[in-house]
């Protein structure tokens, strides 16, 4: 868990609801990183009781997903499933960057998730966690979070 | 169509826009259930003329999609296509729960949909319907709906 | 870039934030069309400094994605990857319309994207562009855009 300064600066004291950004760092080529706690802190700092929060990876080779994070094998399964579906090294774009598959996986899965806020907290099911998936690490990745009052 | 009490309690009388939840019950291992009418009722009860509505399955083995629901074969096609892409019984997580494929399909497709509200109604194209897809039924599933004024 | 009248009518002068629609025309069976500029104009006309914008394809055989649009090969790769994953001509729905694969691709990818607005502009990463993908062209397609203040 990181505590970037922007978490304090963004939403505290019921001020204007501006986007908050934080970074996470992947340490492998492909990795799933749980960001539920960071997003929950942004929501808590916003003091918004009811609304929604948009969580967006500002990248084209990393995404935000919702999945269970109790069994870590599921993260390996997710990365393996997508690599079976969209194998590396088969794409025109690979001539430019070598990361065509990472782009394609990202475009299929989608960059952002929207979660409902209820009673000041993320309204997630018992097994739902927010995760950043890096398909082209290791890298520092930026996540933007915007709370909207309903 | 179900008429859970929460539909009345949540948004009626132009009160505070709090999340509304309702449940649907799948009767097969995999099933596509149309929830357009339930969501339309939440939007109507909210009396919000313009905005958005977030429709979220609070699960990691069921999702919300938008698709045509005129030809029921299309629902069979959707379930068949995903089972071809992500076959059952091949995943590390299967040792724990046996439902690895249901998790992976859900994470790829995404738990929620956001629909624009125009003139008090869902702004959907002629062929667009909102559907809950259960990848690991039969079960009761909870859908959360949050209307946000623009 | 198109300049439909509705772009002026919808959000100008800080008036009520109603949905804005515009159309784009695909010229091939499958095509990726960049709509970042059109959406940016809607956001600018809204004069909303902070919030979100929902961008929705009002169709079941076309979607909105976020991807890099610097290397045009990536668009070809995206269409090719999805056609490998969900081949044409294999689906029950094809008896009705012949476009089963286009429906399935759309339901998997998702009809809409939500982008954060910061300082009056789309908060996109350096390589992120908004694109409409037509899986069943050539056709005129309608995109609905709703700005929501945070």
């Amino acid at each position: 868990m990181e505590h970037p300064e922007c978490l304090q600066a963004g939403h505290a004291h019921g001020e204007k609801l501006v986007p908050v950004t934080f970074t996470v760092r992947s340490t492998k080529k492909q990795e799933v990183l749980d960001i539920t706690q960071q997003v929950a802190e942004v929501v808590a700092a916003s003091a918004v009781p009811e609304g929604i929060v948009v969580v967006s990876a500002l990248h084209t080779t990393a995404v935000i997903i919702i999945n269970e994070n109790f069994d870590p094998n599921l993260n390996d399964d997710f990365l393996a499933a997508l690599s079976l579906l969209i194998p590396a090294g088969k794409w025109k774009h690979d001539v430019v960057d070598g990361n065509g598959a990472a782009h394609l996986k990202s475009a299929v899965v989608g960059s952002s998730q929207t979660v409902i806020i209820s009673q000041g907290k993320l309204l997630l099911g018992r097994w739902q966690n927010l995760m950043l998936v890096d398909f082209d690490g290791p890298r520092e990745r930026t996540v933007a979070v915007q709370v909207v009052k309903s």
Side-chain angles (χ1 to χ4, degrees), chain A:
Chain A
M1 176 57 203
E2 301 182 359
H3 293 276
E5 286 172 38
C6 52
L7 288 184
Q8 275 67 48
H11 285 174
H13 317 304
E15 285 165 15
K16 203 172 63 162
L17 293 170
V18 301
V20 171
T21 58
F22 63 87
T23 57
V24 290
R25 184 173 286 281
S26 61
T27 58
K28 303 179 194 168
K29 182 67 182 170
Q30 298 198 78
E31 193 170 7
V32 179
L33 299 163
D34 198 311
I35 59 167
T36 313
Q37 185 56 37
Q38 288 96 317
V39 176
E41 289 189 18
V42 175
V43 169
S46 77
V48 164
E50 321 288 342
I52 59 172
V53 59
V54 175
V55 184
S56 184
L58 299 184
H59 304 279
T60 50
T61 54
V63 299
I64 309 296
I65 65 165
I66 287 175
N67 203 353
E68 183 191 312
N69 194 23
F70 182 75
D71 172 16
N73 283 328
L74 206 43
N75 295 333
D76 295 341
D77 285 338
F78 183 74
L79 296 173
L82 279 162
S83 292
L84 286 170
L85 292 174
I86 301 175
K90 291 186 47 174
W91 312 102
K92 289 187 185 182
H93 181 68
D94 292 334
V95 180
V96 177
D97 265 346
N99 64 355
H103 281 282
L104 299 173
K105 292 168 183 177
S106 297
V108 168
V109 174
S111 333
S112 74
Q113 296 290 333
T114 302
V115 179
I116 295 170
I117 299 170
S118 176
Q119 302 183 322
K121 294 189 177 162
L122 292 169
L123 181 58
L124 290 170
R126 179 180 176 186
W127 301 106
Q128 289 186 308
N129 281 57
L130 281 161
M131 257 102 69
L132 179 134
V133 183
D134 197 332
F135 291 123
D136 193 32
R139 287 211 228 182
E140 188 175 86
R141 297 298 199 168
T142 302
V143 179
V145 181
Q146 175 70 56
V147 173
V148 181
K149 265 182 288 196
S150 64

